[in-house]
Amino acid sequence: MCNRYRLTAQQAEIAATFGVALPFMPDVTFPVGDIFPTGKKTPAYGLVIIEEDSVRRVEPMEWGVPTQVPGKRDPDVRLTKYVTNVRNLSSPFWHSMLTAPARRCLVPVTSFSEYGQEAGGNGRKPLHWFDVPSRPLFAFAGIWRPTERGNAYGFLTTEPNGVVAPIHPKAMPVILHDEDHDRWLSAPWDDLKALAAPYPSQLMRIE
């Protein structure tokens, strides 16, 4: 599960890579440093790119789509959980977002992280960062929806490739190829399911 990533690109680079019209709105604040999931008491935001009427724009959203789950102590009590990673693509919870092009988004990224499996000499699991050397700025396949306190997003995950698996054998984010950006924002869902696949390991690097 990826719960930490970075976006360090400048506005002009994001605009050129993803076809966003400049200038950006003055109230758009870019995240600085690492981006973390949102929480009930501490909202946290990332940037996504959405398309409306064939025009793309950058919008800050909370990272984590809220859903109600049974409480551990009392199953009759419903608790709010913020879901950051979308793995079960057949779940009814995600269906309305996956099947509606207007609810899909591009999540711009410069690198993402996973913790190692074994603790180091300091007793802590090491944090490893992954990027794509040939693409300093790339995108996760994202989805979003309105919530009671604003728009929120998550991104798809899939089986890990040969670079990520030794560190995190459960999953990795779905990284879109540049030529698939347009399709992700406009094509029917049935034509996009094959995109939920591991990114080629030979194109990635671990720090």
Side-chain angles (χ1 to χ4, degrees), residues 33-113:
D34 299 355
I35 300 173
F36 294 92
T38 197
K40 184 176 182 179
K41 296 182 179 180
T42 55
Y45 298 85
L47 288 184
V48 304
I49 295 160
I50 61 176
E51 185 170 291
E52 187 175 19
D53 297 328
S54 300
V55 177
R56 293 182 187 177
R57 71 174 188 271
V58 176
E59 183 173 324
M61 294 186 187
E62 286 193 70
W63 179 23
V65 179
T67 184
Q68 298 295 307
V69 297
K72 292 183 179 180
R73 294 184 178 180
D74 185 353
D76 292 330
V77 175
R78 308 296 289 182
L79 303 176
T80 300
K81 177 182 179 181
Y82 296 89
V83 184
T84 58
N85 293 188
V86 183
R87 183 62 187 275
N88 183 5
L89 303 184
S90 62
S91 168
F93 181 75
W94 302 114
H95 185 264
S96 63
M97 288 170 271
L98 290 169
T99 56
R103 288 289 180 263
R104 299 189 213 121
C105 61
L106 303 175
V107 182
V109 183
T110 50
S111 60
F112 68 94
S113 69

Side-chain angles (χ1 to χ4, degrees), residues 8-25:
T8 57
Q10 300 297 311
Q11 290 189 19
E13 185 180 3
I14 293 175
T17 301
F18 301 110
V20 178
L22 285 173
F24 294 126
M25 296 297 291

Side-chain angles (χ1 to χ4, degrees), residues 155-173:
F155 50 74
L156 277 61
T157 61
T158 186
E159 296 293 326
N161 62 21
V163 174
V164 178
I167 304 301
H168 190 72
K170 292 184 178 180
M172 68 173 289

